[in-house]
Amino acid sequence: MATPDPKRRRLLKLGLGAAVVLAVAGGGVALLKPGLIDGDKKLSPGARSLFRAVALAVFDGGLLPADAAAREATLNAFLDRLDASIAVFPAPVRAELSQVLSLLDTAPGRFGLIGLKSSWDTVSTPELAGVLEQLRVSDSNTRQQIYRALRDLSSLAFFTDPAHWALVGYPGPRAIP
């Protein structure tokens, strides 16, 4: 029987220790600075900045108005619809979402989870689009889940506005005779 490699054992211990530290730190951050507020039914200011940046990266290919005032109005309405959508999620889903958003609102969380160095308020749209693409094709299931959550929640809130349906060629629901 072969003896265990001491380097491998040290790496495993280091990995386990890092996971425990991350879990404890993440739990602490979530308690101090939650991603959802008002009874876990609304985005915190940091989470609003996050989803605003994601919306710009995902929908800036002609789906958002070119006029600055109209763009801001569209983004604010998008964030309000996102709040309304999150409010009806089951409590356990909202709790998990709040934890992830609180981690992504911190510099170490952003960098550790998705590799983003910039804050949500200063990240450029092309930089964030590149980070989102890296998450999409990542070998890490966690990074892919973060990508899907950000993209799916953004799409849900954006396309629940019937005014946006025509932008993607959807004529709307058919009338049932």
Side-chain angles (χ1 to χ4, degrees):
M1 184 170 167
T3 58
D5 180 11
K7 285 184 180 181
R8 182 175 176 211
R9 184 173 283 170
R10 271 187 300 219
L11 284 175
L12 288 172
K13 286 180 183 178
L14 179 65
L16 180 61
V20 168
V21 168
L22 241 165
V24 170
V29 167
L31 290 174
L32 297 174
K33 191 176 181 182
L36 298 176
I37 56 174
D38 292 343
D40 287 342
K41 297 201 176 199
K42 287 189 168 198
L43 297 169
S44 68
R48 285 182 76 84
S49 293
L50 179 159
F51 275 105
R52 184 185 189 290
V54 169
L56 286 170
V58 172
F59 304 119
D60 200 31
L63 296 177
L64 294 173
D67 176 68
R71 178 181 289 243
E72 279 305 309
T74 298
L75 289 170
N76 287 331
F78 156 79
L79 292 167
D80 292 342
R81 283 190 306 278
L82 188 54
D83 278 339
S85 296
I86 288 170
V88 298
F89 290 169
V93 172
R94 289 193 318 266
E96 284 184 26
L97 180 60
S98 183
Q99 289 174 356
V100 170
L101 293 175
S102 68
L103 283 173
L104 290 174
D105 194 24
T106 66
R110 268 191 315 278
F111 184 73
L113 287 173
I114 64 172
L116 182 62
K117 294 179 185 176
S118 303
S119 72
W120 297 111
D121 292 331
T122 62
V123 66
S124 71
T125 299
E127 179 186 3
L128 184 53
V131 167
L132 290 172
E133 180 60 18
Q134 288 173 356
L135 293 176
R136 186 182 74 81
V137 298
S138 174
D139 291 337
S140 164
N141 286 335
T142 301
R143 291 170 60 92
Q144 285 184 8
Q145 287 175 336
I146 291 170
Y147 166 76
R148 286 188 202 112
L150 295 175
R151 183 209 55 206
D152 291 354
L153 287 170
S154 295
S155 295
L156 168 75
F158 190 80
F159 290 112
T160 53
D161 182 354
H164 297 152
W165 296 348
L167 297 172
V168 292
Y170 176 60
R174 291 186 219 179
I176 298 176

